[in-house]
Structure formats: C-alpha cells, structure tokens
Amino acid sequence: MMHPKAKEHRSLTLHVDVLRNLPENVIDAILMYLPFRDAVRTSILSNGWRYKWCRLPELTLDDAVWTTKNKVILCTSKITKIISHILKLRAGPITKFVLCVSGSRSCPKIDDLIYFLSRNGIQHLVLRLPFCGDPYKLPSSFFKCLQLRHLTLQNCQILPPPAFTGFDRLISLELSLNLSDDTISSKLLESLISQCLLLEHLALDIVVSYNDVIEINAPVLKSFDFAGSLSSIFLKKVPLLAKLSLTENGDILVAENWDFVKFFESFSALEHLLLNNMFFAANAGKVPTRLPFNLNCVKQLDISNLDLYDSAEVSCALCLIRSFQYLQYMEIQAYCTDDIAALDLEEIEVELSSDATFNHLREVKLELTNCSIIEMLLIKLLLAKSPVLVRMLIKLYMPVKESASVKIFAAELTKFQRASPKAVVIIEH
C-alpha cells in the first residue's frame, strides 16, 4: 500500500507534468482569459511558464493593473515604469493593446509604447487617457500603424504628418476629444474620417467651437454614435448608415440656422434611431407634422429623456414617429418638468391627438415618472392608433407610497380603446 506522502508527491508530479505538457495554443487561450495581472502571476508556476505571458498577442492595462491591494492607484511615474518593463520582456507581435488611465493621474510617457506597437502588427488600439491634463500628442510613429482595424482614442492630440493618407484598413473609429483644445481641427477630422474608406463604425464624443461644422463622408458607414452639439455635424455621404445614436452633451450650442428637417433627409438606409436628451428641439425652429420624405427602413426608435411638458420636444418626437411608417419597435423614456405653471396643456394635447396610424408598430416600451395627464394621452394615442400592436410595457418610476395612484392609473388604461385585439398592456412599478 502506497504511503500517503508518496501519493501526495505523485499527485503533485502529475499536476506539474500536465502544466508542462499543455499545447502552446491551450496555454495562450488560458492566459488570454485571465486578467493581465493574474496572467503575469503564472510565471511562478514553473521555469517553463516564467515568460509565457510575454508572448500574449492581446494586452489590457487598466485600473485593475494600476490599483494596489489597498485600493490605491499608482502614480504616473510608476505606471510609466510598468509599461517600460512590459515592453522589455515582450516577445512576438501584439494585435490588440488597451491602455486606460483614469482618475486624476496625468498622462504617462508612452511614446516608446506607440513606437513598439507600430513595429509589431497592432490591429486594435485603445488609448483612454485622463482629461485632467493636457492632451497627449500622438507621435509620428502612431501614423505608421497601418494595419489598424479598430482604434479608440480619448484626450489625444491628432496631428497627422503631411504625407499621411489615412488608415486604409480601419473599420472602427471611436474618438473622445475636445476640439477647442487643439486636439485636432474640424477639417483634419473630416479628412481622417473620409480617408478611412472601409470605416463601418464611427463614434464621436466631441466638444467643438461654436458654428464649427464637421462633414461626415463615409461611403460604407453602418453605425454612428454621436455625443455633442447636433449642429456641429453634417452627415453628407452615409448611404449605408443603418444605426444612428444622437446624444446632446455639455453646453447646448445649436446654430440659429440649424435645420431639423434637413438633418434627417440623407438617411435612406436607416433602420435604428436612438435619441438621447432631445434638448435640440427647442432650437429646431418650426417642426412639420411629418417630414416631407418617408424613412421607410426605420424599424426601431428609442427616445431617452423626453420632456412631455415641452411642446417643442413633443413636436419633434411625434414628427419622427409619424415619418417612420414601417416602425415596429419603439421605446420612450419620458419625464415631466416641475414647471407646470408654464405648461400649454392645450397645445400638447393637440399634438398628441394625432391622426397618424402606426400600421406596423408591434411593441412599445414606456418608462414614465408619474401618472400625469400627458402620459395618459400618449398611451391612449398609441393604443388607439396601432392595429397590430402585440405588447406595451409601461415602467412607472414612482414612490411606493403612491401605489394607490398606480392602481387608478391601471384602471384608467382598461377604458382606452385598443386598435389591436391582441395588444397586452403590462405595468411594472
């Protein structure tokens, strides 16, 4: 009979042998699933594992790496040393590199890192650098990363050399910049986008100077996420754009001559529209009952933070809803301002008493803040004008003490005429 200590030694030997004999592709897969700090720690398993992590083709350096056991974020100089140490031990190409430095830390010195990546086949690069300091000026070696397919930059200064002709393999570009800090001029940004002929996804979170307009020319663009002032962009040539997300952020600086109707006229292939913070409505001028053209490809509409007590916002929302004749799914997150004294209830009621019919609308999700008259009118309109509606989900964000109001609200809904005999109304509170 084998001695217990001998059994333990044999078991340990078997585990070591298993680790030693794992195929290289299996080892790589294991390391890729681990957080970077844990991947580095595998170097203590054996001499054979000591430098396995050094050949990882994908690296993510973020707060999980910079934060100590005591939840203290390392200073900028230590972050720079860690990056330098990793580069010294690196072996093989890097196809994906993510560097995120958050908090109040200044930007680490990473010119050597960019140079290294430019010579090692980088295809997916993410640089999220803190806004607390000056923008990081991308070195000339950055513009030699010609195999890039995915690029994300935050608070980086982009000044391409005269000979630069774009990233001709890039399919995804995400930029978070303040153009007023000279990170890049609007004309250079236009040029950068137009030179990426394979670009399919574009995300811009930008602050621009007043009356500065950026033209977007992207012939194969399919998805565009924009956060900023709507009057600062002009989607000139986007024939394949299928998904559009618009968010007003920061100071709302809308040019006086901004045309609400003209903005939407070039979206012939649009299928999904997301609008967040429709503050632009107040500056949109006169809004027609419908757009003078139909956007027949739109199947889904999501509107967040719609103020039902603002007749201008309601007008814009209803104009779009009426113009999407083949709309199938709609989600509206609405709220009501406290300034009820200034409310023109009659005007909004006229808006909601629409003669439009939503012939293809099948599902509606409404997130409401109370059981106001305006919200009831909106629900009444959608139920009465949607002949193929299958499901309406209503989420009420109200205090528990107002549960009695919810019961009254639900009782009122049962009295509303429903164009669709299959329509089911679900209330969540």
Side-chain angles (χ1 to χ4, degrees):
M1 188 173 183
M2 188 177 293
H3 192 276
K5 288 189 176 180
K7 284 185 178 181
E8 183 179 343
H9 176 74
R10 182 181 179 184
S11 175
L12 181 61
T13 302
L14 286 174
H15 285 305
V16 172
D17 287 341
V18 168
L19 289 175
R20 286 175 179 170
N21 297 325
L22 283 175
E24 294 297 322
N25 64 321
V26 174
I27 293 175
D28 289 345
I30 292 172
L31 293 175
M32 291 284 287
Y33 276 105
L34 292 175
F36 181 71
R37 179 176 282 183
D38 292 337
V40 174
R41 286 171 177 161
T42 61
S43 60
I44 66 172
L45 293 176
S46 68
N47 287 335
W49 275 74
R50 186 173 182 182
Y51 295 108
K52 295 292 187 185
W53 67 270
C54 296
R55 68 179 188 215
L56 281 175
E58 300 184 7
L59 297 178
T60 297
L61 305 182
D62 54 17
D63 283 350
V65 178
W66 316 135
T67 306
T68 66
K69 293 181 180 179
N70 297 326
K71 306 299 182 183
V72 176
I73 298 178
L74 299 177
C75 64
T76 303
S77 60
K78 289 186 177 181
I79 291 175
T80 302
K81 286 181 180 179
I82 290 175
I83 294 173
S84 299
H85 183 68
I86 291 171
L87 294 183
K88 289 178 182 178
L89 297 176
R90 274 297 310 168
I94 299 181
T95 56
K96 181 179 179 179
F97 189 90
V98 178
L99 175 63
C100 297
V101 182
S102 60
S104 60
R105 298 294 180 266
S106 59
C107 176
K109 296 178 181 179
I110 56 175
D111 285 12
D112 291 341
L113 166 65
I114 303 298
Y115 178 75
F116 180 86
L117 295 175
S118 71
R119 297 174 61 86
N120 284 271
I122 187 68
Q123 297 178 23
H124 189 159
L125 176 61
V126 177
L127 297 178
R128 296 190 184 277
L129 304 178
F131 280 110
C132 58
D134 294 332
Y136 166 64
K137 182 180 179 181
L138 293 167
S140 58
S141 58
F142 167 78
F143 300 98
K144 296 178 182 178
C145 300
L146 299 181
Q147 296 187 50
L148 276 174
R149 292 176 59 79
H150 305 272
L151 175 61
T152 299
L153 300 176
Q154 175 180 291
N155 200 29
C156 294
Q157 189 177 35
I158 310 170
L159 298 175
F164 180 68
T165 57
F167 298 111
D168 57 7
R169 300 187 184 186
L170 201 67
I171 60 175
S172 174
L173 175 63
E174 300 183 9
L175 301 176
S176 183
L177 308 169
N178 187 340
L179 272 62
S180 60
D181 288 343
D182 296 325
T183 51
I184 187 173
S185 70
S186 58
K187 292 303 177 184
L188 277 178
L189 181 55
E190 287 179 6
S191 178
L192 176 64
I193 295 170
S194 63
Q195 288 174 335
C196 301
L197 298 178
L198 299 183
L199 193 64
E200 295 182 0
H201 171 69
L202 175 63
L204 298 178
D205 185 348
I206 59 176
V207 177
V208 300
S209 301
Y210 185 62
N211 281 336
D212 205 1
V213 179
I214 300 165
E215 289 189 0
I216 308 295
N217 290 288
V220 298
L221 190 67
K222 296 178 182 177
S223 172
F224 181 34
D225 297 332
F226 177 77
S229 176
L230 292 182
S231 62
S232 65
I233 57 168
F234 172 41
L235 294 153
K236 186 175 182 180
K237 186 179 180 181
V238 286
L240 301 183
L241 187 65
K243 184 177 180 180
L244 176 63
S245 175
L246 301 172
T247 302
E248 285 277 13
N249 69 355
D251 295 329
I252 310 304
L253 299 175
V254 178
E256 293 179 2
N257 60 351
W258 186 70
D259 192 326
F260 173 83
V261 174
K262 187 175 179 60
F263 182 84
F264 288 97
E265 70 181 1
S266 61
F267 305 142
S268 57
L270 191 64
E271 297 178 4
H272 187 182
L273 176 62
L274 301 92
L275 300 174
N276 186 15
N277 292 351
M278 292 185 63
F279 299 120
F280 67 89
N283 301 82
K286 184 173 177 57
V287 177
T289 303
R290 289 181 177 83
L291 295 174
F293 44 84
N294 291 321
L295 298 175
N296 292 333
C297 290
V298 179
K299 303 295 190 298
Q300 182 170 346
L301 174 65
D302 298 334
I303 302 176
S304 299
N305 299 317
L306 174 63
D307 186 357
L308 291 175
Y309 281 174
D310 188 317
S311 59
E313 291 195 19
V314 172
S315 295
C316 286
L318 287 178
C319 172
L320 293 176
I321 294 171
R322 296 186 192 107
S323 302
F324 303 153
Q325 294 191 2
Y326 291 88
L327 192 65
Q328 296 179 10
Y329 178 86
M330 180 166 60
E331 181 172 338
I332 297 178
Q333 181 190 71
Y335 72 98
C336 298
T337 58
D338 296 329
D339 189 13
I340 300 178
L343 173 65
D344 189 341
L345 183 60
E346 183 176 348
E347 182 180 350
I348 293 183
E349 189 168 358
V350 170
E351 285 285 354
L352 290 173
S353 301
S354 169
D355 61 351
T357 301
F358 313 117
N359 290 317
H360 299 271
L361 191 60
R362 297 181 57 82
E363 187 170 350
V364 174
K365 180 180 177 181
L366 301 174
E367 296 187 16
L368 309 175
T369 55
N370 53 47
C371 305
S372 68
I373 297 174
I374 306 300
E375 292 173 341
M376 296 292 280
L377 286 173
L378 176 61
I379 296 169
K380 185 176 183 179
L381 167 68
L382 293 174
L383 287 175
K385 303 293 184 177
S386 306
V388 297
L389 186 68
V390 175
R391 183 173 182 263
M392 176 181 285
L393 173 62
I394 303 173
K395 287 191 173 183
L396 292 174
Y397 293 96
M398 299 175 61
V400 176
K401 65 181 181 180
E402 297 185 18
S403 57
S405 299
V406 176
K407 292 180 180 179
I408 297 173
F409 177 82
E412 285 296 315
L413 292 189
T414 61
K415 303 175 183 178
F416 290 168
Q417 178 185 353
R418 302 185 187 187
S420 171
K422 297 181 179 179
V424 176
V425 179
I426 302 171
I427 300 176
E428 292 186 359
H429 174 235

